[in-house]
């Protein structure tokens, strides 16, 4: 009898592994569809708070139907993201075009060129006194942004326009039903789990969606705040022009989404682009190269300090209800495992793990300390939406 019980357990494990393997193969084969579903989930999580806010607005005691609010919120989110991309791309192309027209280094300060060349001769082995570091750099930029490379890039972009259109339609279509029916995803998952844990799974999915929705909205607000502060500093202080300042500011804001590494890349790229504008286009504050670079760096560093000490603590503590130290350790571990992709997915994945642990292992002391009490707040928000729609 005992031997039969062990065989049954072994058979159960083998079936589980087999099913898991089949699911993994199906996900890999239909990776594009899976990506559309994931993006639709993210869009729906960002759109749900908008539906919640708009549902409070009523005219003569009546509010707009849920399907209309859902569609409008999704289009608003996707349209806003596309507007950011449309704003950034022309600025980058203009700066690249200006850099490609560098013909010599006469616009640069001669003393700076001598300093850089002298440093290269003294540090790099095999470099003679006639070496011109700045000319090498400008020639490299000219080659990198030549007309053929830009044309090839545009051709590659044109070749995937149809795929992007299909993907965009799929994301809008799927996310519409996720927003319109808040419990749709939990119903799908609940249909494939045992009845004994169906209620716990449904509750866990609701808590996960609630926390991730607040997190993604917080990330968007953080990105916009960083972009606005950088724009004001670059426009009013560095004086590089409103259009260029807006594009560079949004580039820094988008890169800021990448934890720790992104802000550093954004600052370095911002300083480089501003220097190209000043000595390629001739716009910017009328100071020498070192002071101008220091001013731009100080502006972007100041914005980053505001983000680190004001925005991030508020977002992490109020959205996913985790301490900054907790988040820091999680991001470090995820970065070590999966690099930048791992750092981007660290907080959402950690949120999912925390909620699952709180739903099924709440008797453990460490889980009780890490899990927030979010159920009452989430239920209250759902009740408000239902009352308003009625």
């Amino acid at each position: 009898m005992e031997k039969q019980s062990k065989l049954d357990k072994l058979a159960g494990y083998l079936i589980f592994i087999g099913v898991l393997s089949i699911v993994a193969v199906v996900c890999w084969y239909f990776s594009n569809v899976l990506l559309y579903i994931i993006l639709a989930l993210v869009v729906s999580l960002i759109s749900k708070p908008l539906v919640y806010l708009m549902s409070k607005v009523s005219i003569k005691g009546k509010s707009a139907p849920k399907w209309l609010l859902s569609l409008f919120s999704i289009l608003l989110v996707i349209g806003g993201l596309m507007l950011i991309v449309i704003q950034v791309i022309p600025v980058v192309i203009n700066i690249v075009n200006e850099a490609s027209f560098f013909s010599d280094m006469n616009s640069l300060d001669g003393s700076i060129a001598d300093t850089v060349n002298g440093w290269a001769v003294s540090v790099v082995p095999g470099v003679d006194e006639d070496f011109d570091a700045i000319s090498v750099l400008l020639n490299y930029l000219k080659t990198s942004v030549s007309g053929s490379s830009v044309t090839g890039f545009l051709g590659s972009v044109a070749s995937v326009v149809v795929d992007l259109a299909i993907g965009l339609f799929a994301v809008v279509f799927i996310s519409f039903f996720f927003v319109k029916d808040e419990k749709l995803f939990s119903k799908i998952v609940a249909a494939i789990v045992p009845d004994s844990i169906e209620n716990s799974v449904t509750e866990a999915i609701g808590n996960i969606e609630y926390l991730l929705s607040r997190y993604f909205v917080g990330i968007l607000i953080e990105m916009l705040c960083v972009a606005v502060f950088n724009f004001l500093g670059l426009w009013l202080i560095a004086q590089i022009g409103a259009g260029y300042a807006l594009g560079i500011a949004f580039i820094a804001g988008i890169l800021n989404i990448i934890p720790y590494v992104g802000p550093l890349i954004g600052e370095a790229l911002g300083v480089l682009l501003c220097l190209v504008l000043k000595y390629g286009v001739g716009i910017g504050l009328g100071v020498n190269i070192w002071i101008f670079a220091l001013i731009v760096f100080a502006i972007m560093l100041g914005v980053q300090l505001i983000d680190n000490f004001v925005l991030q603590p508020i977002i992490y503590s109020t959205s996913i209800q985790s301490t900054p130290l907790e988040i820091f350790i999680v991001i470090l571990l995820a970065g070590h495992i999966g690099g930048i992709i791992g750092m981007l997915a660290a907080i959402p994945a950690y949120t999912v793990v925390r909620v699952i642990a709180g739903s099924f292992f709440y008797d453990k002391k460490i889980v009780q300390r890490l899990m927030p009490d979010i159920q009452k707040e989430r239920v209250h928000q759902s009740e408000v939406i239902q009352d308003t729609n009625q």
Side-chain angles (χ1 to χ4, degrees):
M1 191 70 179
E2 183 179 353
K3 184 177 181 180
Q4 182 65 32
S5 177
K6 291 182 178 180
L7 290 175
D8 291 340
K9 287 183 179 181
L10 179 60
Y13 291 144
L14 292 176
I15 292 174
F16 176 77
I17 294 174
V19 172
L20 191 63
S21 301
I22 294 174
V23 171
V25 171
V26 170
C27 291
W28 173 80
Y29 187 77
F30 296 102
S31 57
N32 290 338
V33 178
L34 183 62
L35 178 61
Y36 296 154
I37 296 175
I38 293 175
L39 292 177
L41 280 172
V42 174
V43 172
S44 66
L45 291 175
I46 298 174
S47 302
K48 285 180 180 179
L50 295 177
V51 175
Y52 170 69
L53 294 176
M54 291 186 295
S55 64
K56 292 184 175 182
V57 179
S58 60
I59 300 176
K60 294 182 179 182
K62 296 182 179 180
S63 61
K66 182 68 175 293
W67 69 268
L68 182 60
L69 295 179
S70 301
L71 181 60
F72 180 75
S73 63
I74 292 171
L75 295 178
L76 189 63
V77 170
I78 295 180
L81 296 176
M82 292 180 64
L83 182 63
I84 292 174
V85 175
I86 292 173
Q87 177 61 44
V88 168
I89 290 178
V91 174
V92 175
I93 291 177
N94 288 337
I95 295 175
V96 166
N97 288 336
E98 295 295 342
S100 66
F101 286 110
F102 283 173
S103 57
D104 53 42
M105 49 179 265
N106 293 331
S107 60
L108 295 173
D109 193 330
S111 61
I112 298 172
D114 294 338
T115 302
V116 174
N117 293 333
W119 175 84
V121 171
S122 61
V123 173
V124 181
V127 175
D128 55 28
E129 296 181 355
D130 296 332
F131 177 74
D132 194 337
I134 296 181
S135 293
V136 171
L137 176 61
L138 294 179
N139 289 332
Y140 174 77
L141 289 174
K142 184 187 298 185
T143 303
S144 300
V145 297
S146 62
S148 59
S149 62
V150 174
T151 303
F153 173 76
L154 294 177
S156 300
V157 172
S159 65
V160 299
V161 167
V162 175
D163 292 335
L164 289 177
I166 295 174
L168 181 61
F169 176 78
V171 170
V172 172
F173 188 81
I174 298 172
S175 58
F176 170 76
F177 288 97
F178 281 149
V179 176
K180 184 176 180 293
D181 187 355
E182 294 182 350
K183 298 181 179 180
L184 177 60
F185 184 72
S186 61
K187 291 177 182 177
I188 295 174
V189 177
I192 60 177
V193 299
D195 294 338
S196 58
I197 61 172
E198 180 176 341
N199 292 333
S200 299
V201 170
T202 302
E203 180 180 333
I205 292 175
N207 291 335
I208 290 171
E209 290 181 346
Y210 178 70
L211 288 177
L212 290 183
S213 177
R214 296 176 61 172
Y215 170 71
F216 287 128
V217 172
I219 289 296
L220 284 180
I221 294 175
E222 179 189 10
M223 182 188 72
L224 291 175
C225 289
V226 170
V228 169
F229 292 153
N230 276 317
F231 165 71
L232 294 175
L234 296 175
W235 178 38
L236 299 177
I237 300 177
Q239 300 179 7
I240 64 171
Y244 290 118
L246 188 62
I248 296 175
F250 270 115
I251 291 174
I254 294 173
L255 290 173
N256 193 73
I257 297 176
I258 305 174
Y260 304 112
V261 179
L264 297 177
I265 298 175
E267 291 171 10
L269 188 59
V271 172
L272 177 61
L273 293 177
C274 287
L275 290 177
V276 171
L277 286 173
K278 180 171 178 59
Y279 293 98
V281 185
I283 61 176
L285 197 63
V287 293
N288 65 51
I289 185 173
W290 296 115
I291 296 179
F292 183 76
L294 184 61
I295 290 174
V296 174
F297 177 75
I299 292 171
M300 305 192 77
L301 179 61
V303 173
Q304 186 56 42
L305 292 176
I306 294 174
D307 178 46
N308 290 340
F309 293 103
V310 179
L311 298 178
Q312 288 186 9
I314 294 175
I315 291 173
Y316 292 147
S317 62
T318 59
S319 61
I320 60 174
Q321 301 179 2
S322 299
T323 63
L325 178 60
E326 188 179 344
I327 294 299
F328 179 77
I329 294 175
V330 170
I331 290 177
L332 284 182
L333 294 176
H336 180 73
I337 296 173
I340 293 180
I341 302 299
M343 296 173 75
L344 287 173
I347 298 178
Y350 179 61
T351 301
V352 172
V353 171
R354 287 171 67 237
V355 174
I356 292 176
S359 299
F360 297 97
F361 306 100
Y362 198 73
D363 56 327
K364 306 299 181 180
K365 181 178 180 180
I366 185 173
V367 176
Q368 294 176 1
R369 296 295 177 87
L370 292 177
M371 275 302 302
D373 184 15
I374 62 173
Q375 182 64 20
K376 293 181 179 180
E377 186 177 355
R378 185 177 69 84
V379 170
H380 173 70
Q381 175 173 314
S382 299
E383 291 176 348
V384 171
I385 295 177
Q386 294 175 1
D387 294 340
T388 306
N389 290 333
Q390 293 175 355

Coordinates of all heavy atoms in Angstrom, one line a residue, residues 71-121:
L71 N -12.6 52.1 -23.1 CA -12.0 52.4 -24.4 C -11.3 53.8 -24.3 O -10.1 53.9 -24.8 CB -13.0 52.4 -25.5 CG -12.6 52.7 -26.9 CD1 -11.5 51.6 -27.3 CD2 -13.7 52.7 -27.9
F72 N -11.9 54.8 -23.8 CA -11.3 56.1 -23.7 C -10.0 56.1 -22.9 O -9.0 56.7 -23.3 CB -12.2 57.1 -23.1 CG -11.7 58.5 -23.0 CD1 -11.6 59.3 -24.2 CD2 -11.3 59.0 -21.8 CE1 -11.1 60.6 -24.1 CE2 -10.8 60.3 -21.7 CZ -10.7 61.1 -22.9
S73 N -10.0 55.4 -21.8 CA -8.8 55.3 -20.9 C -7.6 54.6 -21.6 O -6.5 55.0 -21.5 CB -9.1 54.7 -19.6 OG -9.5 53.3 -19.8
I74 N -7.9 53.5 -22.3 CA -6.9 52.8 -23.0 C -6.3 53.6 -24.1 O -5.1 53.7 -24.3 CB -7.5 51.5 -23.6 CG1 -7.8 50.5 -22.5 CG2 -6.5 50.8 -24.6 CD1 -8.6 49.3 -22.9
L75 N -7.1 54.3 -24.9 CA -6.6 55.2 -26.0 C -5.8 56.3 -25.4 O -4.8 56.8 -26.0 CB -7.8 55.7 -26.8 CG -8.6 54.6 -27.6 CD1 -9.7 55.2 -28.4 CD2 -7.6 53.9 -28.6
L76 N -6.3 56.8 -24.3 CA -5.5 57.9 -23.6 C -4.1 57.5 -23.2 O -3.1 58.2 -23.4 CB -6.3 58.4 -22.4 CG -5.8 59.7 -21.8 CD1 -5.9 60.9 -22.7 CD2 -6.6 60.0 -20.5
V77 N -4.0 56.3 -22.6 CA -2.7 55.8 -22.2 C -1.8 55.5 -23.4 O -0.6 56.0 -23.4 CB -2.9 54.5 -21.3 CG1 -1.6 53.8 -21.1 CG2 -3.6 54.8 -20.0
I78 N -2.3 54.8 -24.3 CA -1.5 54.5 -25.5 C -1.1 55.7 -26.3 O 0.0 55.9 -26.8 CB -2.2 53.4 -26.4 CG1 -2.3 52.1 -25.6 CG2 -1.4 53.2 -27.7 CD1 -3.0 51.0 -26.4
G79 N -2.1 56.6 -26.4 CA -1.8 57.9 -27.1 C -0.8 58.7 -26.4 O 0.1 59.3 -27.1
G80 N -0.8 58.7 -25.1 CA 0.2 59.5 -24.4 C 1.6 58.9 -24.5 O 2.6 59.6 -24.7
L81 N 1.7 57.6 -24.5 CA 3.0 56.9 -24.7 C 3.5 57.2 -26.1 O 4.7 57.4 -26.3 CB 2.9 55.4 -24.4 CG 2.5 55.0 -23.0 CD1 2.4 53.5 -22.9 CD2 3.6 55.5 -22.0
M82 N 2.7 57.1 -27.1 CA 3.1 57.4 -28.5 C 3.5 58.8 -28.7 O 4.4 59.1 -29.4 CB 2.0 57.0 -29.4 CG 1.7 55.5 -29.5 SD 0.3 55.1 -30.7 CE 1.1 55.6 -32.2
L83 N 2.8 59.7 -28.0 CA 3.2 61.1 -28.1 C 4.6 61.4 -27.5 O 5.3 62.2 -28.1 CB 2.1 62.0 -27.3 CG 2.4 63.5 -27.3 CD1 2.2 64.0 -28.8 CD2 1.3 64.2 -26.4
I84 N 4.9 60.7 -26.5 CA 6.3 60.8 -25.9 C 7.3 60.4 -27.0 O 8.3 61.0 -27.2 CB 6.4 60.0 -24.6 CG1 5.5 60.7 -23.5 CG2 7.9 60.0 -24.2 CD1 5.5 59.9 -22.2
V85 N 7.1 59.2 -27.6 CA 8.0 58.7 -28.6 C 8.1 59.6 -29.8 O 9.2 59.9 -30.3 CB 7.5 57.3 -29.0 CG1 8.4 56.8 -30.1 CG2 7.6 56.3 -27.8
I86 N 6.9 60.1 -30.2 CA 6.9 61.0 -31.3 C 7.7 62.3 -31.0 O 8.3 62.9 -31.9 CB 5.5 61.4 -31.8 CG1 4.8 60.1 -32.3 CG2 5.4 62.5 -32.8 CD1 3.4 60.3 -32.6
Q87 N 7.7 62.7 -29.8 CA 8.4 63.9 -29.4 C 9.9 63.7 -29.3 O 10.7 64.6 -29.6 CB 7.9 64.4 -28.0 CG 8.6 65.6 -27.4 CD 8.5 66.8 -28.3 OE1 7.4 67.1 -28.8 NE2 9.5 67.5 -28.5
V88 N 10.3 62.5 -28.9 CA 11.7 62.2 -28.7 C 12.4 62.0 -30.0 O 13.5 62.5 -30.3 CB 11.9 61.0 -27.8 CG1 13.3 60.5 -27.8 CG2 11.4 61.4 -26.4
I89 N 11.8 61.2 -30.9 CA 12.5 60.8 -32.2 C 13.0 61.9 -33.0 O 14.1 62.0 -33.4 CB 11.6 59.8 -33.0 CG1 11.5 58.5 -32.2 CG2 12.2 59.6 -34.3 CD1 10.6 57.5 -32.9
P90 N 12.1 63.0 -33.3 CA 12.6 64.1 -34.2 C 13.8 64.8 -33.6 O 14.7 65.3 -34.3 CB 11.4 65.0 -34.3 CG 10.2 64.1 -34.0 CD 10.7 63.1 -33.0
V91 N 13.8 65.0 -32.2 CA 14.9 65.7 -31.6 C 16.2 64.9 -31.8 O 17.2 65.5 -32.1 CB 14.6 65.9 -30.1 CG1 15.8 66.5 -29.4 CG2 13.4 66.8 -29.9
V92 N 16.1 63.6 -31.5 CA 17.3 62.8 -31.7 C 17.8 62.8 -33.1 O 19.0 63.0 -33.4 CB 17.0 61.3 -31.3 CG1 18.2 60.5 -31.5 CG2 16.7 61.3 -29.8
I93 N 16.9 62.7 -34.1 CA 17.3 62.8 -35.5 C 17.9 64.1 -35.9 O 18.9 64.2 -36.6 CB 16.1 62.5 -36.4 CG1 15.6 61.0 -36.2 CG2 16.4 62.8 -37.9 CD1 14.4 60.7 -37.0
N94 N 17.4 65.2 -35.4 CA 17.9 66.5 -35.6 C 19.3 66.7 -35.1 O 20.2 67.2 -35.7 CB 17.0 67.6 -35.1 CG 15.7 67.8 -35.9 OD1 15.7 67.4 -37.0 ND2 14.7 68.3 -35.2
I95 N 19.5 66.2 -33.8 CA 20.8 66.3 -33.2 C 21.8 65.4 -34.0 O 23.0 65.8 -34.2 CB 20.8 65.9 -31.7 CG1 19.9 66.8 -31.0 CG2 22.2 65.8 -31.1 CD1 19.7 66.4 -29.5
V96 N 21.4 64.2 -34.4 CA 22.3 63.4 -35.2 C 22.7 64.0 -36.5 O 23.8 63.9 -37.0 CB 21.6 62.0 -35.4 CG1 22.3 61.2 -36.5 CG2 21.6 61.2 -34.1
N97 N 21.7 64.6 -37.2 CA 22.0 65.3 -38.4 C 22.9 66.4 -38.3 O 23.8 66.6 -39.1 CB 20.7 65.8 -39.1 CG 19.8 64.7 -39.6 OD1 20.3 63.6 -39.9 ND2 18.5 64.9 -39.7
E98 N 22.8 67.2 -37.2 CA 23.7 68.3 -36.9 C 25.1 67.7 -36.7 O 26.1 68.3 -37.2 CB 23.2 69.1 -35.7 CG 21.9 69.8 -35.9 CD 22.0 70.9 -37.0 OE1 23.2 71.3 -37.3 OE2 21.0 71.3 -37.5
A99 N 25.2 66.6 -36.0 CA 26.5 66.0 -35.7 C 27.2 65.5 -37.0 O 28.4 65.6 -37.1 CB 26.4 64.9 -34.7
S100 N 26.3 65.0 -37.9 CA 26.9 64.5 -39.1 C 27.5 65.6 -40.0 O 28.2 65.2 -41.0 CB 25.8 63.7 -39.9 OG 24.8 64.6 -40.3
F101 N 27.2 66.8 -39.8 CA 27.7 67.9 -40.6 C 29.0 68.6 -40.0 O 29.4 69.6 -40.5 CB 26.6 69.0 -40.8 CG 25.5 68.6 -41.8 CD1 24.3 68.3 -41.3 CD2 25.8 68.4 -43.1 CE1 23.3 67.9 -42.2 CE2 24.8 68.0 -44.0 CZ 23.5 67.8 -43.5
F102 N 29.5 67.9 -39.0 CA 30.7 68.4 -38.4 C 31.8 68.2 -39.5 O 32.1 67.1 -39.8 CB 31.1 67.7 -37.1 CG 30.3 68.1 -35.9 CD1 30.5 67.5 -34.7 CD2 29.5 69.2 -36.0 CE1 29.8 67.8 -33.6 CE2 28.8 69.6 -34.9 CZ 28.9 68.9 -33.7
S103 N 32.5 69.3 -39.9 CA 33.5 69.1 -40.9 C 34.9 69.3 -40.3 O 35.9 68.8 -40.8 CB 33.3 70.1 -42.0 OG 33.3 71.5 -41.5
D104 N 35.0 70.1 -39.2 CA 36.3 70.2 -38.6 C 36.1 70.6 -37.1 O 34.9 70.5 -36.7 CB 37.1 71.4 -39.3 CG 36.3 72.7 -39.4 OD1 35.6 73.0 -38.4 OD2 36.4 73.3 -40.4
M105 N 37.1 70.9 -36.4 CA 37.0 71.2 -35.0 C 37.3 72.6 -34.7 O 37.7 73.0 -33.6 CB 38.0 70.3 -34.2 CG 39.4 70.3 -34.8 SD 40.5 69.3 -33.8 CE 41.2 70.5 -32.7
N106 N 37.0 73.5 -35.6 CA 37.3 74.9 -35.4 C 36.4 75.5 -34.4 O 36.7 76.5 -33.7 CB 37.2 75.7 -36.7 CG 38.3 75.3 -37.7 OD1 39.4 74.9 -37.3 ND2 37.9 75.4 -39.0
S107 N 35.2 75.0 -34.2 CA 34.3 75.5 -33.3 C 34.6 75.1 -31.8 O 34.1 75.7 -30.9 CB 32.8 75.0 -33.5 OG 32.8 73.6 -33.5
L108 N 35.6 74.2 -31.6 CA 36.0 73.8 -30.3 C 37.1 74.7 -29.8 O 37.9 75.2 -30.6 CB 36.4 72.3 -30.3 CG 35.3 71.3 -30.6 CD1 35.9 69.9 -30.7 CD2 34.2 71.4 -29.5
D109 N 37.2 74.9 -28.5 CA 38.3 75.6 -27.9 C 39.6 74.9 -28.1 O 39.7 73.7 -27.8 CB 38.0 75.8 -26.4 CG 38.8 76.8 -25.8 OD1 40.0 77.0 -26.3 OD2 38.4 77.5 -24.8
G110 N 40.6 75.7 -28.7 CA 41.9 75.0 -29.0 C 42.6 74.5 -27.7 O 43.2 73.5 -27.7
S111 N 42.4 75.2 -26.6 CA 43.1 74.8 -25.4 C 42.5 73.4 -24.9 O 43.2 72.6 -24.4 CB 42.9 75.8 -24.3 OG 41.5 76.0 -24.0
I112 N 41.2 73.3 -25.1 CA 40.6 72.0 -24.8 C 41.1 70.9 -25.6 O 41.4 69.8 -25.1 CB 39.1 72.1 -24.9 CG1 38.5 73.2 -24.0 CG2 38.4 70.8 -24.6 CD1 37.1 73.5 -24.1
A113 N 41.2 71.1 -26.9 CA 41.8 70.1 -27.8 C 43.2 69.7 -27.4 O 43.5 68.5 -27.4 CB 41.7 70.6 -29.3
D114 N 44.0 70.7 -27.1 CA 45.4 70.4 -26.7 C 45.4 69.6 -25.4 O 46.2 68.7 -25.2 CB 46.2 71.7 -26.5 CG 46.3 72.5 -27.8 OD1 46.2 71.9 -28.9 OD2 46.5 73.7 -27.7
T115 N 44.5 69.9 -24.5 CA 44.5 69.2 -23.2 C 44.1 67.7 -23.4 O 44.8 66.8 -22.9 CB 43.4 69.8 -22.3 OG1 43.8 71.2 -22.0 CG2 43.4 69.1 -20.9
V116 N 43.1 67.5 -24.3 CA 42.7 66.1 -24.6 C 43.7 65.3 -25.3 O 44.0 64.2 -25.0 CB 41.3 66.1 -25.4 CG1 41.0 64.7 -25.8 CG2 40.2 66.7 -24.6
N117 N 44.4 66.0 -26.3 CA 45.4 65.3 -27.0 C 46.6 65.0 -26.2 O 47.2 63.9 -26.2 CB 45.9 66.2 -28.2 CG 44.8 66.3 -29.3 OD1 43.9 65.5 -29.4 ND2 44.8 67.4 -30.0
G118 N 47.0 66.0 -25.3 CA 48.1 65.7 -24.4 C 47.8 64.6 -23.4 O 48.7 63.8 -23.2
W119 N 46.6 64.5 -23.0 CA 46.3 63.4 -22.1 C 46.3 62.1 -22.8 O 46.8 61.1 -22.3 CB 44.9 63.6 -21.5 CG 44.4 62.5 -20.7 CD1 44.6 62.3 -19.4 CD2 43.5 61.4 -21.1 NE1 44.0 61.1 -18.9 CE2 43.3 60.6 -20.0 CE3 43.0 61.0 -22.3 CZ2 42.6 59.4 -20.1 CZ3 42.2 59.9 -22.4 CH2 42.0 59.1 -21.3
A120 N 45.8 62.0 -24.0 CA 45.9 60.8 -24.8 C 47.3 60.3 -25.1 O 47.6 59.1 -25.0 CB 45.1 60.9 -26.1
V121 N 48.2 61.3 -25.4 CA 49.6 61.0 -25.7 C 50.3 60.4 -24.5 O 51.1 59.5 -24.6 CB 50.3 62.2 -26.3 CG1 51.8 61.9 -26.4 CG2 49.8 62.6 -27.6

